[in-house]
């Protein structure tokens, strides 16, 4: 059997549709993080995928935020499924997973908060290994990222880790095999980070310390390895943990094996990333049943890549799906019996015109708008548009299903009558997104999502377009760099172009001509400071090359210059 984890950065933006993406991963159990689907946004297109059963956890707070989903092939239908780590979100005893561990260290309020952001889905499966029936519990998590600007999130992240460990170990103690997989948002060791030297106290990071205790380093040692020569040893720190990082188990010394890059800065092109997506398995499962695990950096479509693991055991599917399965949600339940044939015929024509409109675009536009306005869905105008978008997404979902008559046509009469509002909503959507500069389509992508430090800060700053961050990039300290930059300004402004440029600028108010960067002598790119603060709205030029390690001459140099003088 094969499991895959992937932070997909928005399930509704999948190009070519969800089924195609799932099928291409060729796995029995696909665990997705950052679906950006909340209960209000769940449509049939995301929820009901032919050949799979799906299990979602939604953020109870912000709409379109966080969220995880596990898709199980029909060959892997779980016997139980549960949302969250604490058990507080579970109100059905039948078909739930259980084994919550000891919560004496957590208040009920804290448990609720930790489970409130849609960060965990647990499915429980039956497997056959050496003619023995076994239980396998798969814990799909999207661990919080500690935003450096929100100190309280650091503690939240750690507490999430602790609750995760509590649950995972309780499940293990109950006799089940356990896989914990997902976006853990911490790179474990220096080898898992593109620039560990740039981070002050790498080992001292609390998330890393937790990982050190959660993982059992010793059982990584007894496996032979393909690339023994890069000199990295897994000797550091605690080996009392009960879980194994399966990728490292099979590739103890492989470096530059990253799963997350800041796509905004082009860091994927230079492979300047981190490994923060993992498949952890209990020691005996990892050593006895895992046959291979690896990353899939070639797979595009998100700022993370998928990670897979293959096991030698066989899955025994349940004959019925647990209550949490999205098929049992009221809006999807019983769809297949409803007037289906009739609807397919009537709707064919409408579906044809509908197909011309790119489905995923709506989500993108929605996200951009949200990024523009940090209050997001809370804003009133936004609220209205979101309602329309949701509505249209739902109807579209139904229709694209119905457009495929052969298998199981689904939909209700209502879907058919909603055609008009859908188009109106689509037209409405176009305008706001056009106002947005394309270069910064996703200003708050977490980038090199590792929570800590300089690198993240830098990436974030780039993303949020705070020029101080980018100026700081290379090494010696801000002031010196800035001074250098300012010097290079005067050299960069070529006198020949100068006159006419100033003239045209005064006439046309067009974008200023980009100066060449200092190191590569190539035209810079223009950015605008989006971050709140005294510099908001100011423009600056930076090297147009993709972000990379400071030692990489092909990567972005530290050239930086403000466009305007003063504020
Ligand atoms: Zn350059």
């Amino acid at each position: 059997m094969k499991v895959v984890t992937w932070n997909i950065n928005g399930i509704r933006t999948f190009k070519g549709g969800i089924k195609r993406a799932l099928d291409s991963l060729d796995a029995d159990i696909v665990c997705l993080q950052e679906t950006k689907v909340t209960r209000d946004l769940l449509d049939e297109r995301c929820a009901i995928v032919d050949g799979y059963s799906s299990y979602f956890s939604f953020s109870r707070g912000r709409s379109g935020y966080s969220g995880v989903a596990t898709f199980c092939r029909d060959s892997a239908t779980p016997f139980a499924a549960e949302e969250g780590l604490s058990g507080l979100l579970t109100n059905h005893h039948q078909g739930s997973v259980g084994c919550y561990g000891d919560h004496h260290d957590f208040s009920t309020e804290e448990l609720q908060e930790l489970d409130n952001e849609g960060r965990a889905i647990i499915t429980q499966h039956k497997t056959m290994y050496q003619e023995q029936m076994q239980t396998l519990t798969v814990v799909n998590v999207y661990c919080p990222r500690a935003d450096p600007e929100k100190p309280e999130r650091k503690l939240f992240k750690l507490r999430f880790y602790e609750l995760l460990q509590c649950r995972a170990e309780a499940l293990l103690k109950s006799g089940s095999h356990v896989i914990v997989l997902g976006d853990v948002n911490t790179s474990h060791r220096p080898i898992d980070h593109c620039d560990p030297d740039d981070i002050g106290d790498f080992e001292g990071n609390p998330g890393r310390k937790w990982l050190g205790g959660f993982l059992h380093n010793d059982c990584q040692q007894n496996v032979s390895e393909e690339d023994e020569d890069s000199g990295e040893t897994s000797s550091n720190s605690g080996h009392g943990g009960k879980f194994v990082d399966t990728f490292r188990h099979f590739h103890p010394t492989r470096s530059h094996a990253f799963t997350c890059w800041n796509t905004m800065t082009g860091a994927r092109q230079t492979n300047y990333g981190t490994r923060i997506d993992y498949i952890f398995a209990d020691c005996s499962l990892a050593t006895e049943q895992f046959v291979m695990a690896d990353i899939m950096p070639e797979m595009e479509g998100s700022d993370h890549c998928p990670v897979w693991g293959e096991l030698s055991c066989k899955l025994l599917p349940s004959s019925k799906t647990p209550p949490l399965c999205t098929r049992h949600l009221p809006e999807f339940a019983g769809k297949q019996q409803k007037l289906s044939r009739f609807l397919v015929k009537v709707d064919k024509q409408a579906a044809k015109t509908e197909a011309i409109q790119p489905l995923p675009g709506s989500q993108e536009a929605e996200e951009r708008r949200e990024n523009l306005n940090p209050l997001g869905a809370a804003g009133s105008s936004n609220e209205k548009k979101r309602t329309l978008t949701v509505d249209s997404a739902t109807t579209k979902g139904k229709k694209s299903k119905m457009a495929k008559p052969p298998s199981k046509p689904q939909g209700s009469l209502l879907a058919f009558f909603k055609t008009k509002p859908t188009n109106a909503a689509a037209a409405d959507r176009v305008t706001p997104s056009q106002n947005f500069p394309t270069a910064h389509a996703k200003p708050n992508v977490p980038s090199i999502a590792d929570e800590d430090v300089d690198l993240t800060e830098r990436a974030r700053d780039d993303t949020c377009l705070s020029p101080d961050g980018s100026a700081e990039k290379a090494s010696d300290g801000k002031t010196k760099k800035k001074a250098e930059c300012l010097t290079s300004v005067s050299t960069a402004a070529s006198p020949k172009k100068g006159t006419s440029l100033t003239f045209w600028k005064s006439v046309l108010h067009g974008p200023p001509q980009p100066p060449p960067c200092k190191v590569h002598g190539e035209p810079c790119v223009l950015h605008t400071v989006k971050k709140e603060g005294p510099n908001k709205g100011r423009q600056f030029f930076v090297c147009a090359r993709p972000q990379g390690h400071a030692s990489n001459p092909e990567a972005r140099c530290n050239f930086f210059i403000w466009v305007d003088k003063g504020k």
Side-chain angles (χ1 to χ4, degrees):
M1 67 163 284
K2 191 171 153 191
V3 292
V4 163
T5 175
W6 194 8
N7 176 321
I8 41 143
N9 194 16
I11 197 171
R12 303 192 304 162
T13 58
F14 259 152
K15 294 207 170 63
I18 292 158
K19 178 166 171 59
R20 222 171 93 187
L22 290 174
D23 285 348
S24 73
L25 293 168
D26 189 30
D28 301 282
I29 302 170
V30 179
C31 297
L32 304 176
Q33 300 88 39
E34 224 179 335
T35 58
K36 295 187 179 173
V37 167
T38 35
R39 189 67 184 81
D40 57 319
L41 298 178
L42 185 72
D43 58 30
E44 196 169 318
R45 200 165 49 90
C46 294
I48 313 292
V49 179
D50 197 34
Y52 299 81
S53 61
S54 67
Y55 308 84
F56 279 72
S57 179
F58 309 104
S59 173
R60 264 76 175 165
R62 267 171 69 190
S63 178
Y65 170 71
S66 184
V68 296
T70 296
F71 284 82
C72 301
R73 271 233 165 97
D74 292 343
S75 59
T77 304
F79 286 75
E82 207 177 298
E83 183 182 8
L85 296 171
S86 70
L88 292 177
L89 299 178
T90 308
N91 47 21
H92 40 74
H93 293 292
Q94 187 210 354
S96 62
V97 174
C99 300
Y100 302 103
D102 183 357
H103 288 165
H104 77 272
D105 206 21
F106 298 86
S107 70
T108 309
E109 294 74 45
E110 189 178 26
L111 291 173
Q112 273 164 346
E113 268 177 42
L114 290 169
D115 264 348
N116 209 33
E117 296 182 356
R119 296 185 175 275
I121 273 286
I122 303 179
T123 53
Q124 198 160 56
H125 309 260
K126 294 259 182 279
T127 63
M128 206 53 145
Y129 177 67
Q130 294 183 340
E131 285 166 42
Q132 260 199 329
M133 186 141 84
Q134 298 186 333
T135 304
L136 170 64
T137 311
V138 178
V139 184
N140 172 8
V141 283
Y142 175 37
C143 298
R145 175 181 160 274
D147 185 337
E149 283 168 32
K150 295 176 188 159
E152 74 278 7
R153 295 295 285 179
K154 278 191 179 166
L155 181 63
F156 186 82
K157 176 177 179 173
L158 266 189
R159 295 297 277 167
F160 187 89
Y161 282 154
E162 282 161 11
L163 184 60
L164 170 62
Q165 180 164 12
C166 174
R167 184 73 188 269
E169 290 180 355
L171 285 160
L172 192 57
K173 207 173 164 191
S174 77
S176 171
H177 278 301
V178 179
I179 291 178
V180 173
L181 76 178
D183 177 354
V184 175
N185 254 321
T186 295
S187 56
H188 182 206
R189 296 185 294 146
I191 195 176
D192 303 314
H193 200 287
C194 59
D195 215 345
D197 301 337
D198 216 38
I199 296 160
D201 184 10
F202 191 88
E203 310 281 339
N205 172 277
R208 245 160 236 137
K209 278 188 173 160
W210 173 81
L211 261 183
F214 182 72
L215 295 178
H216 183 103
N217 285 323
D218 275 0
C219 55
Q220 299 178 18
Q221 302 285 24
N222 53 24
V223 173
S224 64
E225 177 45 24
E226 57 200 53
D227 34 24
E228 210 85 53
D229 48 340
S230 81
E232 171 85 20
T233 52
S234 53
S235 60
N236 59 333
S237 77
H239 26 73
K242 295 179 166 56
F243 289 86
V244 170
D245 171 356
T246 56
F247 172 85
R248 272 291 162 237
H249 177 71
F250 290 103
H251 317 280
T253 58
R254 195 200 286 177
S255 62
H256 299 96
F258 301 135
T259 62
C260 178
W261 307 264
N262 184 345
T263 41
M264 278 294 300
T265 64
R268 193 162 185 168
Q269 295 168 56
T270 61
N271 192 25
Y272 189 68
T274 53
R275 192 171 69 92
I276 60 175
D277 302 86
Y278 304 92
I279 299 175
F280 299 143
D282 67 80
C283 283
S284 73
L285 190 70
T287 51
E288 292 162 15
Q289 300 187 36
F290 264 78
V291 291
M292 191 37 79
D294 214 331
I295 61 174
M296 302 168 77
E298 69 286 353
M299 190 71 114
E300 293 185 349
S302 165
D303 52 340
H304 294 246
C305 79
V307 179
W308 61 270
E310 189 155 2
L311 293 85
S312 58
C313 58
K314 295 264 178 297
L315 280 157
L316 303 172
S318 167
S319 58
K320 63 180 176 103
T321 50
L324 189 71
C325 180
T326 46
R327 262 176 219 164
H328 302 305
L329 287 170
E331 66 264 45
F332 308 129
K335 276 279 154 57
Q336 286 146 27
Q337 282 83 24
K338 260 190 201 168
L339 289 171
S340 30
R341 303 229 168 267
F342 168 69
L343 271 169
V344 172
K345 269 185 190 164
V346 177
D347 206 57
K348 241 178 182 169
Q349 195 54 42
K352 209 185 258 174
T353 39
E354 192 68 38
I356 300 163
Q357 293 175 6
L359 285 181
S362 62
Q363 169 76 352
E364 282 268 295
E366 188 62 29
E367 279 165 19
R368 281 175 212 171
R369 209 175 15 254
E370 194 158 286
N371 291 336
L372 265 176
N373 171 12
L375 295 173
S380 58
S381 64
N382 241 333
E383 191 93 285
K384 194 177 162 199
K385 272 169 205 145
R386 171 164 318 269
T387 325
L388 286 169
T389 316
V390 174
D391 193 23
S392 69
T394 316
T395 34
K396 277 177 191 173
K398 279 168 187 162
K399 267 190 287 212
S400 57
K401 266 283 173 191
M402 287 186 292
K404 290 182 262 164
S407 52
K408 298 180 247 170
Q410 288 159 340
S412 72
L413 275 169
L414 269 177
F416 174 67
F417 289 115
K418 275 182 190 162
T419 314
K420 278 274 153 56
T422 299
N423 292 334
D428 184 29
R429 280 198 303 276
V430 180
T431 346
S433 66
Q434 280 174 342
N435 299 331
F436 203 81
T438 43
H440 315 137
K442 288 166 70 187
N444 67 1
V445 168
S447 67
I448 299 226
D450 203 338
E451 86 288 10
D452 23 300
V453 292
D454 209 15
L455 178 71
T456 315
E457 265 295 26
R458 201 196 294 140
R460 266 183 57 78
D461 280 347
D462 279 350
T463 322
C464 301
L465 306 169
S466 153
D468 292 348
S470 5
E472 218 175 73
K473 186 183 182 302
S475 53
D476 309 343
K478 210 181 288 184
T479 27
K480 192 189 155 207
K481 287 295 152 195
K482 254 218 178 120
E484 259 176 43
C485 290
L486 288 173
T487 326
S488 49
V489 180
S490 36
T491 27
S494 118
K496 269 176 263 168
K497 279 182 185 168
T499 1
S500 62
L501 215 163
T502 324
F503 170 74
W504 283 113
K505 248 170 83 182
S506 66
V507 178
L508 294 171
H509 301 289
Q513 190 80 12
C517 71
K518 204 179 162 194
V519 173
H520 305 102
E522 294 166 0
C524 286
V525 284
L526 183 65
H527 287 299
T528 307
V529 179
K530 289 278 192 293
K531 209 163 146 185
E532 289 300 330
N535 285 326
K536 194 179 178 195
R538 288 185 74 188
Q539 293 188 303
F540 60 95
F541 284 110
V542 288
C543 176
R545 296 221 174 186
Q547 187 188 20
H549 193 274
S551 66
N552 183 353
E554 299 302 315
R556 174 191 297 180
C557 62
N558 62 337
F559 180 81
F560 163 83
I561 177 183
W562 289 111
V563 169
D564 49 344
K565 287 182 207 151
K567 288 174 222 173

